Amino acid sequence: MKKMLVTGGTVFVSRRAADYFAKNGWDVYVLNRNTRPQPRGATLIEADRKQLGDQLRDMYFDAVLDITAYNADDVNLLLDGLGDFGDYILVSSSAVYPESTPQPFREDAPVGENSIWGSYGTHKIAAEKALLERAPNAYILRPPYLYGPGNNVYREAFVFECALSDRPFYIPREGEMKLQFFHVDDLCRFMDLIISTHPQQHIFNVGNRLSVTVAEWVELCYRAAGKTAQLSNVHADIPQRSYFSFHDYEYALDVERQHGLMADTVPLERGLAEAFEWYREHGDQVVRKNLIEFIDSELSKQA
């Protein structure tokens, strides 16, 4: 049985990846500090990735999925602590592309500071650079917004909460800003495909080929909850993140190279239905923000 190391393993993407590969016959090890419930079918290595010592030195992993690296130190310290390994996949971010770069962003476009994402993006760039300097055969994935079962970020969960409370939903302007998504299971399937086929290209944008408008996304979220969205447009000069889940920033990734290897992706409507079913059982795991409180105190009285 092949061995895999998954950094993290307890929240959203890393947990879903650990579950996916364990169910597909891998001997999965998860590396975390054991502060949350662990995924079934995986072996815990209880440690801080920044203070590994020799815990991993004598272990061989056929694949390493680095899902919790946010800067160069994270990558370098993990590589320092590892012994021999086969494939290495780093989940990076689309935040590495400057907003001034022509869209859709291609993998060969220059990376650099993005004023929307700030240090998050520049730190991801440094993580990518550190990895390729030391492990040039590693793979790097740059997703847009990830969604699906297990998402503890207050995005679709916020819309589900509004839908279940039969609230009108406040959207920026006319709701025409476009969003690009990628289902967490599609990310897992693509990592599996990379490990099995070893494509020549080592950096991939990943995501759905088609984007949706804000209004379309909200309507799909309400539909997943069995509700019909009543949209209220916000034209006032109010910071968008005060009442909405996403930055006031539209971008698109060119994902043709990914689709050349994996043509099918989960339809957004089905993926949101799966996300809603998870939310109904695990809504207490979502990291909530004060968006509804702001709406009630600042927006609803202006309607």
Side-chain angles (χ1 to χ4, degrees):
M1 184 182 293
K2 290 185 176 181
K3 290 186 177 180
M4 171 178 288
L5 178 67
V6 177
T7 63
T10 60
V11 177
F12 191 28
V13 178
S14 61
R15 187 180 192 95
R16 196 73 173 180
D19 288 339
Y20 173 91
F21 284 97
K23 290 176 182 177
N24 281 276
W26 285 77
D27 185 10
V28 174
Y29 291 75
V30 292
L31 173 65
N32 62 67
R33 292 172 294 176
N34 198 20
T35 59
R36 300 172 184 265
Q38 300 298 319
R40 295 180 181 179
T43 301
L44 170 65
I45 300 174
E46 184 175 344
D48 187 326
R49 65 176 293 157
K50 297 180 183 291
Q51 300 175 355
L52 285 173
D54 293 328
Q55 283 186 264
L56 304 180
R57 192 79 62 194
D58 296 328
M59 301 181 70
Y60 175 81
F61 296 103
D62 297 277
V64 176
L65 304 187
D66 196 353
I67 299 172
T68 61
Y70 295 100
N71 54 50
D73 282 347
D74 287 344
V75 170
N76 282 321
L77 290 171
L78 180 61
L79 290 172
D80 289 345
L82 285 169
D84 291 333
F85 60 88
D87 292 304
Y88 193 119
I89 299 177
L90 171 69
V91 177
S92 183
S93 170
S94 56
V96 301
Y97 297 110
E99 70 267 40
S100 58
T101 299
Q103 297 189 32
F105 300 135
R106 289 171 48 90
E107 291 92 342
D108 54 5
V111 297
E113 183 177 1
N114 182 304
S115 65
I116 302 298
W117 304 114
S119 61
Y120 174 76
T122 53
H123 286 165
K124 282 288 192 179
I125 293 169
E128 291 184 6
K129 181 179 178 182
L131 176 60
L132 293 180
E133 285 177 350
R134 297 183 59 178
N137 290 324
Y139 290 92
I140 292 171
L141 306 183
R142 296 171 177 168
Y145 295 112
L146 292 167
Y147 81 106
N151 188 4
N152 64 326
V153 181
Y154 202 47
R155 289 178 183 154
E156 58 260 33
F158 165 54
V159 189
F160 295 152
E161 185 175 338
C162 291
L164 292 176
S165 299
D166 292 314
R167 300 176 62 93
F169 196 88
Y170 290 83
I171 59 172
R173 298 177 293 279
E174 300 303 322
E176 294 179 351
M177 186 181 81
K178 289 186 176 181
L179 302 170
Q180 189 174 17
F181 292 96
F182 198 45
H183 195 289
V184 63
D185 288 351
D186 287 332
L187 179 66
C188 293
R189 289 196 303 121
F190 193 66
M191 290 191 288
D192 197 0
L193 185 64
I194 283 177
I195 293 169
S196 63
T197 63
H198 294 109
Q200 290 186 347
Q201 179 175 331
H202 284 262
I203 299 178
F204 285 91
N205 293 335
V206 292
N208 293 349
R209 182 179 273 122
L210 298 179
S211 298
V212 294
T213 67
V214 166
E216 290 169 337
W217 179 74
V218 170
E219 288 167 350
L220 286 173
C221 287
Y222 267 70
R223 190 182 307 166
K227 303 287 185 174
T228 300
Q230 176 188 340
L231 301 181
S232 182
N233 305 92
V234 178
H235 294 282
D237 187 17
I238 298 173
Q240 182 170 303
R241 291 268 285 175
S242 299
Y243 64 92
F244 189 58
S245 306
F246 298 91
H247 288 284
D248 186 7
Y249 174 52
E250 177 179 297
Y251 71 93
L253 297 174
D254 183 320
V255 292
E256 292 308 308
R257 293 180 180 179
Q258 167 219 317
H259 282 264
L261 296 176
M262 188 183 80
D264 62 312
T265 55
V266 175
L268 186 57
E269 185 169 7
R270 191 182 92 199
L272 287 172
E274 295 170 357
F276 177 71
E277 290 305 313
W278 178 86
Y279 169 79
R280 287 206 305 178
E281 298 295 326
H282 306 282
D284 59 327
Q285 297 179 23
V286 174
V287 180
R288 197 175 178 278
K289 295 185 178 181
N290 294 326
L291 302 182
I292 289 178
E293 289 78 2
F294 181 87
I295 290 168
D296 288 342
S297 63
E298 301 296 331
L299 290 184
S300 58
K301 59 187 180 184
Q302 298 180 18

